[in-house]
Amino acid sequence: MAGADGGDGAAGGEATPVSAPTPVPPRRWRAWLLEGLTDQSGSHPGPHGKVPEEHQGRAWWRVMCLTGVDYFSTLGYQPGIAALAAGLLSPMATVVLVALTLFGALPVYRRVASESPHGSGSIAMLERLLPWWAGKFFVLVLLGFACTDFMITMTLSAADASAHFVANPLAPSALRGQTMAITLVLLAALGGVFLKGFREAIGIAVVLVVVYLGLNLVVVATAIGHVVTHPVRIGDWWDAARAAHSSPLAMAGVALLVFPKLALGMSGFETGVAVMPQIRGDASDTYARPAGRIRGTRRLLTTAALIMSGFLILSSFATTVLIPADAFKAGGPANGRALAYIAHEYLGGGFGTVYDVSTIAILWFAGASAMAGLLNLVPRYLPRYGMAPEWAAAVRPLTLVFLVIAFLVTWLFDANVDKQGGAYATGVLVLMLSAAFASCIAAWHRGHRAAAVGFGVITAVFVYTLGANVVERPDGIKIASLFIAGMLITSFASRIHRAFEVRIGSVALDGEAGRLVDAAARYGPLRIIANEPQARDREEYALKECAQRDDIPMPEEQHILFLEVTVSDSSDFQADLDVRGEVLYGYRVLRVTGPVVPNTIAAVLLTLRERTGVPPNVYFDWTEGHPLGHLLRFLVFGDGEVPTVTREVLRRAEPDPSRRPRVHVS
């Protein structure tokens, strides 16, 4: 039995990458599909990606437009959803929502920007709080909710864009009633953009957001002006509200109860911190503390929240007062497009068409933002956990996977905006809840007791909001559960499938380890005894060497090396190794800490083979116990039946038996 690729010897203290066999050149279509496999996800220039160096460092207000295509585009459907959810009390419920935005979500994400300034967001903050498998499981659940948020952003935005298209008077009559088909075409076009390449996202976003907000300002100002000049409409609305509710206090109570239905109006904050790497910081910024970038992100979050809060309150009030209640219902002319209804009604068909085109464009681009978020989020965690195949680091295969899921979600929800609102709000609220909880814990750990209490109160409010939303619209948690179940099943299946990879990035020998290896190599092929460290006294090493020499003949003059592996975190998939050399009681010992014993031993053996040019020999004892039990221990705790697994890892890493490190078991 022999080891992996050969290579030049490495000097003591240098890191040696553990190489794998050279793959067979892929076919042309496969090469196109997997283009940029090693770095494409990290450098993807979409709204959530790490852009090329020449595109980095934009002004915070320009990056605000990037996150704004998600956040501001909700004006396309939020007033209509609010009217359906809260009825005549929509303006009051919107005021409660805005208060939670400004005094809850905004402080939370300003804290997240400080604690996670490189775009990882609240998920990374919580990942640091929970060790071992519990942390990985928790992150996978949060990723399931995040995928729900981003995926429903794509499908809901495309569905609403379709609703605006078919409702326009100039739309071809043949396309009326074809919302499903149009939505699927928009999603397919979105996928086509990412298959071809997504460039200059910020420049496009700035144009879309400036035009869209400008048009909305005209529409809202016109609507408010009409309300002011026709105060009887306010009187009619107030009389109807009082007839339905006994007093203003009762109205306020109902508004507090129903505002969770409007929660999707808070989307966009997680996107705001995800795009932090795009913001230009100060010249004095460092990776550890990019103060300028943090300050710019806080300005971004605050400005976006203030702009959106103003639009939400004014649009909710104007649409509730001016639009008949029946028009908001399913199939009504204002369903999912309340402000577009106002634009056509009060500014004419020409302006209304321009508004529809602007709305369709920004809603479609909001889907692009969500797709880019998925393409950045999944490769950031799953490959690092070993819970995704290697192709998950490439953009195009993931784009196709997400596109198929988007088609399925659109079909399940019949391309209906109202039906998807619950799932969207669930994903948004879970991410906000996780951010509030992470901020509370972070503030407490830093000794900021008052801030921790404040974030704790905000966390409680989000718990209520999420709970009320789930009770009212359980379809949201159902679709999120499907995403989570799919995430968990595929992730752990991938982890098991990839368990026998080498899973080590590089191996570095310190000076003493290099000296011991070089000295032993002068006597011929290295002979290494794998030892599970216990007492680490003279008797332990003497008995181990005697037992091995009795069972397997070894030259007496051979210099024996002991190799001891200590498991660090068995839930980690990959790590870099530092091998330390020691001489204890005259015995030469190599010590290393790694995530899993067999793979760590295999990586060290491959490195020693590259250093000496000769496949080393390693000696094990058989482990007592049931094979299935050992397999579970290997998958969960990182040990198990070490010799068998070590040999299998080496076999897969090096197909040439003559170059494979030799495994001996007694």
Side-chain angles (χ1 to χ4, degrees):
M1 294 178 260
D5 300 14
D8 297 332
E14 294 182 354
T16 302
V18 180
S19 55
T22 303
V24 177
R27 296 178 181 176
R28 180 175 300 179
W29 68 268
R30 189 171 183 270
W32 173 83
L33 193 66
L34 299 179
E35 182 181 356
L37 177 61
T38 58
D39 59 1
Q40 181 74 9
S41 63
S43 63
H44 195 280
H48 300 264
K50 179 183 177 184
V51 298
E53 186 67 28
E54 64 271 19
H55 294 159
Q56 290 183 359
R58 305 297 184 97
W60 66 266
W61 62 269
R62 293 175 65 87
V63 182
M64 182 189 71
C65 294
L66 193 59
T67 184
V69 295
D70 179 10
Y71 194 19
F72 299 144
S73 68
T74 58
L75 287 170
Y77 48 82
Q78 172 69 13
I81 290 179
L84 276 179
L88 294 170
L89 299 183
S90 173
M92 296 181 182
T94 301
V95 169
V96 178
L97 177 71
V98 166
L100 181 57
T101 297
L102 296 179
F103 302 106
L106 180 57
V108 162
Y109 279 94
R110 284 171 63 92
R111 183 81 187 202
V112 172
S114 296
E115 298 287 340
S116 183
H118 302 294
S120 300
S122 58
I123 295 179
M125 292 172 64
L126 291 171
E127 182 186 21
R128 295 194 295 265
L129 297 176
L130 293 174
W132 204 52
W133 286 105
K136 303 296 188 296
F137 182 84
F138 189 64
V139 167
L140 289 176
V141 172
L142 285 181
L143 284 176
F145 282 111
C147 288
T148 304
D149 180 11
F150 287 125
M151 186 60 66
I152 300 298
T153 296
M154 290 170 51
T155 58
L156 185 147
S157 298
D160 196 53
S162 302
H164 281 77
F165 181 85
V166 300
N168 188 279
L170 301 180
S173 58
L175 295 179
R176 300 191 185 278
Q178 300 297 320
T179 304
M180 172 70 76
I182 296 172
T183 302
L184 294 177
V185 169
L186 289 175
L187 290 172
L190 180 67
V193 168
F194 281 89
L195 289 175
K196 179 175 174 50
F198 191 66
R199 302 288 176 183
E200 298 299 339
I202 293 181
I204 298 172
V206 170
V207 174
L208 287 177
V209 167
V210 169
V211 172
Y212 183 68
L213 290 183
L215 293 174
N216 271 283
L217 185 61
V218 173
V219 172
V220 171
T222 301
I224 294 297
H226 191 82
V227 170
V228 171
T229 56
H230 297 79
V232 66
R233 289 184 175 270
I234 300 178
D236 292 342
W237 165 70
W238 184 249
D239 290 341
R242 291 187 62 182
H245 305 281
S246 59
S247 67
L249 185 62
M251 295 180 195
V254 173
L256 287 171
L257 291 175
V258 302
F259 90 89
K261 300 178 183 179
L262 284 62
L264 67 167
M266 292 191 295
S267 68
F269 279 96
E270 195 74 23
T271 309
V273 294
V275 299
M276 283 188 70
Q278 308 262 2
I279 297 175
R280 181 191 305 130
D282 297 335
S284 59
D285 279 6
T286 64
Y287 183 85
R289 187 63 182 174
R293 179 189 295 171
I294 293 172
R295 185 170 59 253
T297 303
R298 288 179 167 180
R299 289 175 180 169
L300 179 157
L301 295 170
T302 302
T303 304
L306 290 173
I307 292 173
M308 190 63 177
S309 295
F311 273 112
L312 283 176
I313 292 175
L314 294 175
S315 63
S316 176
F317 177 72
T319 54
T320 302
V321 171
L322 295 178
I323 300 177
D326 289 342
F328 289 110
K329 295 180 180 178
N335 181 250
R337 55 184 302 275
L339 287 175
Y341 178 94
I342 295 289
H344 282 273
E345 187 73 15
Y346 294 97
L347 292 167
F351 183 92
T353 298
V354 172
Y355 182 84
D356 283 340
V357 171
S358 173
T359 304
I360 291 169
I362 198 170
L363 284 168
W364 182 78
F365 204 75
S369 174
M371 174 70 88
L374 286 168
L375 293 174
N376 183 65
L377 195 65
V378 170
R380 176 172 289 177
Y381 290 97
L382 296 188
R384 179 160 57 89
Y385 292 172
M387 293 179 171
E390 292 183 0
W391 55 258
V395 166
R396 288 179 177 130
L398 276 184
T399 297
L400 294 175
V401 171
F402 293 141
L403 198 58
V404 170
I405 296 174
F407 284 167
L408 180 61
V409 170
T410 299
W411 176 72
L412 289 174
F413 285 101
D414 198 29
N416 186 286
V417 174
D418 299 328
K419 291 180 181 180
Q420 297 178 73
Y424 189 17
T426 299
V428 169
L429 287 172
V430 169
L431 291 181
M432 288 191 165
L433 173 59
S434 69
F437 178 71
S439 298
C440 178
I441 299 300
W444 185 269
H445 284 172
R446 294 183 182 275
H448 304 158
R449 297 293 186 259
V453 171
F455 288 128
V457 172
I458 296 172
T459 301
V461 173
F462 278 124
V463 168
Y464 159 72
T465 308
L466 175 62
N469 192 277
V470 169
V471 171
E472 180 69 24
R473 292 180 287 186
D475 56 314
I477 199 67
K478 291 178 182 177
I479 191 67
S481 298
L482 292 177
F483 276 103
I484 293 169
M487 182 76 71
L488 293 175
I489 293 172
T490 56
S491 294
F492 285 109
S494 175
R495 178 68 179 246
I496 294 172
H497 177 72
R498 300 185 62 189
F500 297 100
E501 296 178 7
V502 177
R503 296 167 49 180
I504 300 298
S506 64
V507 180
L509 277 65
D510 69 5
E512 181 65 10
R515 187 187 66 80
L516 294 177
V517 169
D518 292 341
R522 287 195 289 268
Y523 292 85
L526 295 179
R527 299 188 182 273
I528 301 168
I529 296 176
N531 180 50
E532 182 179 358
Q534 297 175 2
R536 303 192 79 238
D537 55 15
R538 183 188 301 274
E539 183 180 7
E540 177 181 334
Y541 295 112
L543 290 176
K544 190 75 173 182
E545 181 175 355
C546 288
Q548 289 294 346
R549 288 186 179 276
D550 288 343
D551 292 334
I552 301 176
M554 285 186 281
E556 289 295 333
E557 70 279 3
Q558 186 76 45
H559 281 209
I560 302 298
L561 297 174
F562 287 86
L563 177 59
E564 298 178 345
V565 178
T566 302
V567 176
S568 52
D569 184 346
S570 59
S571 67
D572 288 340
F573 183 75
Q574 189 172 16
D576 295 330
L577 304 181
D578 293 313
V579 182
R580 305 182 306 279
E582 297 182 23
V583 178
L584 299 175
Y585 316 107
Y587 296 97
R588 304 164 186 82
V589 183
L590 303 179
R591 303 186 66 192
V592 61
T593 299
V596 58
V597 175
N599 309 63
T600 299
I601 293 176
V604 173
L605 293 175
L606 294 175
T607 301
L608 296 181
R609 188 280 314 274
E610 292 183 359
R611 184 184 183 93
T612 64
V614 180
N617 296 269
V618 63
Y619 300 86
F620 295 95
D621 291 328
W622 284 119
T623 307
E624 297 294 331
H626 197 282
L628 290 179
H630 284 308
L631 177 61
L632 291 176
R633 286 192 58 83
F634 164 64
L635 294 174
V636 178
F637 299 104
D639 46 29
E641 184 55 74
V642 176
T644 304
V645 178
T646 301
R647 197 270 177 187
E648 179 61 17
V649 173
L650 290 170
R651 186 188 69 82
R652 297 192 184 195
E654 177 50 76
D656 183 359
S658 67
R659 294 178 43 77
R660 193 180 301 151
R662 296 170 174 82
V663 177
H664 309 270
V665 189
S666 61

